[in-house]
Amino acid sequence: MSVPTRPLSPWAQRYGYRVETRLSLFIDDEIHSSLAPYAPSLHPKYYADVPPYEGPPTKASQLDHLFLNEFYQRPAFYGTETWQIGPLMRYVWFSERTGLLSGGHREADSRPPAAGGDERWEDIAARIFESERIQVDETRWFQFLRKDRWYDIHVMQSQPTLYHPDYDHERWSVDNPEVWSILRIILELADRILKALIAERHPMMETILFGLVVPWSEAHPGETEPWEHCSCLFSRAYLDEKLGPDIQNPLNFVTELPSDQWAMRLENLLADRAWGMMDRMFLGRIFHGVTIPELKGMILLNVGFLRALRNPDATLSEKCTIHFFLSNVILHELFHSIHTARQMKDRPDSWSENFPCTYRLPAPTGEPLLDGDGQAELGHAGITRIWGGDIRVINDNLHEFPMSLARMTWPHPRESEPHRAARRMAPVILEHEQFKLGTMVHISPVPALYTAKLLSAAFWDDPNIPQKSLNGFHCNVIFNSDTPWGGNTVDNPPKLLELGQVLPERLDPGEREMIIAWEERRMDWEGRRRGWYEPLKREWELTPWADISARNVLILFPRGFAIRDELECRSLAAVLVHKGYWGPDKERFARRMVTRNGWVYYAIGMLMYAALPIQKNELKDEPYEILYELYPSRHARADLGQIVYSHSKEMYKRSRRTSPSKMWDPLTRPGVTFPDFGQGHYLKLIDILFHFLGINGIEVHTAWYDAIMNMRRSLGVQRNSIQDRSAWATEWTFVAPEYNTNKSRFIDDAWVDVG
């Protein structure tokens, strides 16, 4: 897919725009990121400043841009809208000696504190960070984290568009001093977190090291397996609850083991663990990290956020956020890798009498369900149990700057949505209570103050905090969004973040000031939008302009059409027609055409089908193989040898697939499937649709009706001249019309704009 050539907006320049992952909802003279706040506007870097007064939007297009961005942001950013980010990234704190610091998101941070000075505020803050952050001591790390375990990756065969232009194995190697200087801070934090979890005997660390692993049939005798070779991992606490007082818990022996034996077991399990760095795509997917069971649980870290850390424009808040997040990625992948090691090494004859084997699977399988979870994904399950929720990136564009983090319920009920089945990496039990309607989804932001605290030497050295891992490593929940699951994130997005009930005496340094900044920003926004925002937003939400995925299709389809990517175009057309209805049932068709603007999407879908060849066969992506060669870095142990690893895209279910062309006319020929038809029949269905709407007194949005009929007339002319059903139309000119609330009514056999 070709990359658009229009200039990027300031927000798109800072936070990135990738055609394959970023929704492009609004294009005028620039390509926008969907991130920028409007009414009022904020600077893409200095968004913690108070914006100048602008006044309400005066044009319909400005309203559309405002509402569209915020409509996209709340579900995509876990209950957050961009205007709320400023207070979350406003401050950092490392010690009482240096006190509260600005995180780099005020314009004043780019200036010296005194006239004529050379050192800027952000330079001073960066110097404080270097002196007061945790200091790295590689000699104290776990062996499996050290520099001698790293490979360089050479991508030998692949689709070149999958990789960032600057990716090469020498640039992204631990042999590169700049890369290692960044990575070693992240590994230091991961090492400290692991050691705290062991020293404090955290239940999740106990479970991943010693938990009971059994087949589903043993845990649930007589019940049908949710998938083939399903297994379960149980913690000691969970077994205590299920077994009751009369049955001995097989994990009680763990209470007798000193913590140093936990550490020894972890080292033994990961004795042959290796690491590498990858670019943003791997296995046909985008990951921050990945564990490869076929390579003994080797862990690959994505270089995307390392690239952001090397960017001199990164703020201190962004750096703290990335360091903390990538440490979590390492923990996440280690949970996968530890289980892989247990599959390979845990056998009855490998355990001593006082160290009974708790791994009881006859052969390696996929990952187990943990303690009755509805999804089998040990990385997310482990992170959730440590931090009180899964850690996600707000604005996760992978290789640009993050806009804070969120801690949220896992597994999220959306994992049960049918359209996610093809790309779901971890299996789910669809009937599980965690996916039921009404399940509460909890979200809370992880502000820069917290990530800075975890990176500060003061936190780790403080004798008044003897138990570091308590309460998610002392992470206060200050703002939250609690939303009952309603079936999908479009109709039921997370509630907007709001200030929760906080006890002043429980607040960490800087959190009071952050709350003040939050409330000032909230009152500022409410004041500027009072009187006009809510009624105009409600009006917009009822129009076709409010459908995010449909508008994205309208931007992506012309790109696919331009390069004659039939599979892409047919897939996009199917998205639209199924927003209306595509089938032979007359009653369902009639109902869907007048519900939530279904007529718009159906009609545009028919236009798309009329622009494409009639396809008699199923289309699908051809499988491709990616070949990787992994070479030990110069600092690697002598026993690390060269590895060649390959995989097919089909292995990971990312292939697109579309069925042959179909034709139904549910209004005039209900129940009939047409065996022979051409593009003109699709155009005729549009005429039949508008006749049906007209005689039933249904008003239509004038701008959409006009745009659809203009394209219908153009395609009619094109198809009359082509006469070849297997040919493409010569041009596609349809674009979403500018926002306009006018409607038309069918009067005297014609559609009339009634305002």
Side-chain angles (χ1 to χ4, degrees):
M1 187 177 296
S2 60
V3 177
T5 56
R6 296 181 186 182
L8 300 179
S9 71
W11 280 77
Q13 289 176 39
R14 180 166 178 80
Y15 295 102
Y17 175 85
R18 289 208 316 281
V19 176
E20 69 270 22
T21 59
R22 168 74 68 211
L23 288 179
S24 179
L25 305 175
F26 194 96
I27 294 181
D28 44 28
D29 56 334
E30 294 179 318
I31 297 171
H32 296 270
S33 63
S34 312
L35 307 178
Y38 291 95
S41 300
L42 290 171
H43 190 279
K45 182 177 180 181
Y46 305 123
Y47 49 68
D49 281 334
V50 177
Y53 179 76
E54 295 178 6
T58 57
K59 297 180 181 178
S61 60
Q62 293 173 327
L63 287 172
D64 183 38
H65 204 170
L66 163 65
F67 298 140
L68 188 63
N69 277 14
E70 293 186 353
F71 209 58
Y72 161 71
Q73 289 162 13
R74 196 186 302 179
F77 296 174
Y78 313 113
T80 309
E81 292 176 2
T82 306
W83 62 270
Q84 298 177 307
I85 299 295
L88 300 177
M89 301 289 276
R90 171 73 175 82
Y91 297 110
V92 294
W93 187 94
F94 299 107
S95 75
E96 290 184 2
R97 184 177 69 85
T98 52
L100 195 60
L101 303 172
S102 178
H105 292 283
R106 297 168 61 248
E107 190 173 8
D109 298 327
S110 65
R111 298 193 295 265
D118 294 328
E119 193 174 35
R120 302 169 299 175
W121 276 115
E122 58 190 25
D123 300 324
I124 296 171
R127 183 160 42 79
I128 291 172
F129 169 70
E130 289 300 325
S131 66
E132 300 207 339
R133 65 167 170 81
I134 50 176
Q135 297 305 304
V136 177
D137 185 351
E138 298 178 33
T139 64
R140 300 182 61 184
W141 291 356
F142 283 113
Q143 294 286 337
F144 56 82
L145 293 176
R146 296 189 183 183
K147 195 174 186 179
D148 61 3
R149 301 296 190 93
W150 286 79
Y151 277 88
D152 297 340
I153 297 181
H154 302 235
V155 182
M156 305 304 295
Q157 299 173 16
S158 180
Q159 295 182 345
T161 56
L162 296 181
Y163 295 91
H164 193 281
D166 83 347
Y167 183 77
D168 67 71
H169 64 276
E170 293 180 354
R171 182 189 299 260
W172 297 106
S173 167
V174 295
D175 295 328
N176 182 332
E178 184 185 2
V179 171
W180 184 245
S181 69
I182 294 171
L183 189 56
R184 65 199 297 264
I185 301 172
I186 296 163
L187 290 166
E188 174 73 27
L189 180 56
D191 182 77
R192 290 180 182 232
I193 292 171
L194 282 169
K195 285 176 176 167
L197 294 173
I198 289 175
E200 296 162 14
R201 307 175 75 84
H202 193 282
M204 184 60 214
M205 185 55 67
E206 175 185 305
T207 302
I208 199 67
L209 291 175
F210 304 105
L212 179 65
V213 184
V214 296
W216 172 273
S217 58
E218 183 177 332
H220 305 277
E223 295 185 22
T224 303
E225 280 188 319
W227 55 83
E228 190 176 12
H229 304 307
C230 178
S231 59
C232 303
L233 169 62
F234 295 126
S235 67
R236 182 163 52 88
Y238 186 86
L239 289 176
D240 275 341
E241 179 184 341
K242 295 298 180 182
L243 295 177
D246 299 328
I247 301 177
Q248 184 176 2
N249 190 325
L251 298 179
N252 281 345
F253 74 94
V254 179
T255 62
E256 305 298 324
L257 296 177
S259 297
D260 61 349
Q261 288 201 36
W262 290 35
M264 188 183 305
R265 173 156 168 78
L266 180 60
E267 287 277 30
N268 289 338
L269 284 172
L270 301 181
D272 51 3
R273 191 60 60 249
W275 302 77
M277 281 176 272
M278 61 177 178
D279 196 22
R280 65 189 183 208
M281 297 294 290
F282 188 78
L283 311 178
R285 297 287 299 272
I286 298 177
F287 299 99
H288 287 286
V290 65
T291 300
I292 308 176
E294 301 94 325
L295 299 181
K296 299 181 180 180
M298 172 184 275
I299 296 172
L300 303 182
L301 298 182
N302 201 298
V303 302
F305 275 164
L306 297 178
R307 183 180 288 118
L309 285 174
R310 294 174 71 179
N311 189 326
D313 201 35
T315 68
L316 185 51
S317 286
E318 289 165 342
K319 289 178 179 179
C320 292
T321 297
I322 293 173
H323 281 103
F324 171 78
F325 178 74
L326 289 182
S327 296
N328 267 273
V329 172
I330 289 172
L331 292 175
H332 176 119
E333 297 306 327
L334 281 172
F335 288 132
H336 291 306
S337 197
I338 292 168
H339 182 74
T340 298
R342 291 192 66 183
Q343 289 184 321
M344 298 167 56
K345 297 181 177 183
D346 274 3
R347 294 292 178 266
D349 59 0
S350 67
W351 291 57
S352 70
E353 241 180 69
N354 298 323
F355 214 50
C357 181
T358 57
Y359 185 90
R360 301 179 183 175
L361 298 184
T365 65
E367 289 194 334
L369 294 161
L370 174 54
D371 282 353
D373 282 346
Q375 186 169 26
E377 218 288 356
L378 288 178
H380 292 306
I383 293 298
T384 295
R385 284 162 173 82
I386 291 172
W387 304 106
D390 199 21
I391 303 296
R392 301 295 179 95
V393 181
I394 294 177
N395 176 40
D396 194 356
N397 207 13
L398 202 67
H399 65 283
E400 286 87 21
F401 302 117
M403 295 170 64
S404 194
L405 303 174
R407 183 172 64 169
M408 66 182 298
T409 295
W410 182 90
H412 195 290
R414 68 185 176 196
E415 291 298 327
S416 64
E417 294 176 12
H419 73 274
R420 292 182 177 270
R423 66 176 187 265
R424 191 184 297 128
M425 297 293 288
V428 302
I429 302 175
L430 294 176
E431 302 80 18
H432 197 279
E433 61 182 9
Q434 290 173 326
F435 304 128
K436 289 182 178 178
L437 292 176
T439 297
M440 192 63 70
V441 178
H442 304 283
I443 301 173
S444 60
V446 181
L449 269 171
Y450 176 75
T451 61
K453 178 176 75 174
L454 265 287
L455 283 159
S456 71
F459 172 77
W460 295 97
D461 296 341
D462 191 344
N464 296 316
I465 311 176
Q467 190 174 351
K468 305 300 182 186
S469 66
L470 187 67
N471 187 32
F473 285 79
H474 301 268
C475 183
N476 292 328
V477 177
I478 297 175
F479 312 103
N480 55 62
S481 164
D482 295 333
T483 309
W485 175 241
N488 63 73
T489 54
V490 174
D491 300 325
N492 182 232
K495 292 182 179 177
L496 193 64
L497 281 177
E498 58 185 13
L499 178 64
Q501 299 293 323
V502 294
L503 299 175
E505 63 271 16
R506 295 281 300 275
L507 294 177
D508 284 340
E511 289 181 341
R512 177 179 175 275
E513 288 80 1
M514 179 179 65
I515 291 171
I516 291 172
W518 175 278
E519 287 297 280
E520 288 176 347
R521 172 63 59 91
R522 179 186 61 80
M523 290 187 290
D524 184 22
W525 246 245
E526 289 179 356
R528 295 181 193 231
R529 295 178 169 188
R530 188 171 292 117
W532 62 267
Y533 178 85
E534 287 297 336
L536 292 178
K537 182 181 179 183
R538 285 193 295 270
E539 183 179 32
W540 177 86
E541 287 175 341
L542 297 175
T543 73
W545 284 272
D547 192 301
I548 292 174
S549 60
R551 292 187 67 170
N552 195 50
V553 166
L554 295 182
I555 289 174
L556 295 178
F557 185 86
R559 298 175 188 165
F561 186 90
I563 60 175
R564 300 302 190 260
D565 184 344
E566 185 175 355
L567 185 51
E568 174 74 2
C569 289
R570 298 191 71 81
S571 300
L572 292 169
V575 170
L576 288 194
V577 296
H578 285 96
K579 282 180 174 290
Y581 171 74
W582 189 224
D585 189 292
K586 181 176 182 177
E587 290 186 5
R588 289 184 64 190
F589 179 86
R591 184 169 60 252
R592 293 287 290 274
M593 289 306 101
V594 298
T595 303
R596 297 189 57 184
N597 304 299
W599 63 271
V600 172
Y601 316 124
Y602 171 84
I604 300 172
M606 293 301 104
L607 292 174
M608 291 177 173
Y609 281 149
L612 300 175
I614 298 296
Q615 183 54 250
K616 296 182 179 181
N617 303 307
E618 178 186 78
L619 294 179
K620 64 178 182 178
D621 277 324
E622 292 297 323
Y624 63 82
E625 183 180 54
I626 301 180
L627 183 67
Y628 301 90
E629 288 189 346
L630 293 82
Y631 295 93
S633 67
R634 291 198 300 271
H635 292 84
R637 297 185 323 195
D639 61 335
L640 294 188
Q642 179 183 348
I643 298 173
V644 176
Y645 176 68
S646 67
H647 77 273
S648 165
K649 182 178 179 180
E650 281 205 331
M651 290 170 57
Y652 291 88
K653 302 180 182 179
R654 291 292 287 169
S655 297
R656 299 170 300 172
R657 186 185 300 265
T658 63
S659 58
S661 299
K662 293 183 176 66
M663 172 70 188
W664 290 287
D665 181 1
L667 287 177
T668 63
R669 301 282 299 279
V672 175
T673 299
F674 291 76
D676 183 53
F677 56 91
Q679 288 88 349
H681 291 87
Y682 290 125
L683 298 176
K684 183 64 175 175
L685 290 178
I686 297 173
D687 301 334
I688 294 171
L689 166 68
F690 282 119
H691 182 262
F692 162 77
L693 295 174
I695 63 175
N696 283 280
I698 307 299
E699 292 185 346
V700 299
H701 291 274
T702 303
W704 286 97
Y705 171 78
D706 290 344
I708 289 168
M709 293 309 296
N710 287 338
M711 191 71 227
R712 188 253 180 270
R713 285 186 286 271
S714 172
L715 286 171
V717 172
Q718 293 178 54
R719 284 302 172 189
N720 286 336
S721 64
I722 295 173
Q723 296 296 317
D724 180 359
R725 295 180 178 182
S726 65
W728 290 71
T730 55
E731 63 176 359
W732 175 267
T733 58
F734 187 91
V735 294
E738 188 171 295
Y739 179 54
N740 187 311
T741 58
N742 283 11
K743 290 188 175 182
S744 291
R745 188 180 301 140
F746 199 61
I747 301 173
D748 296 332
D749 291 330
W751 286 97
V752 179
D753 188 338
V754 294

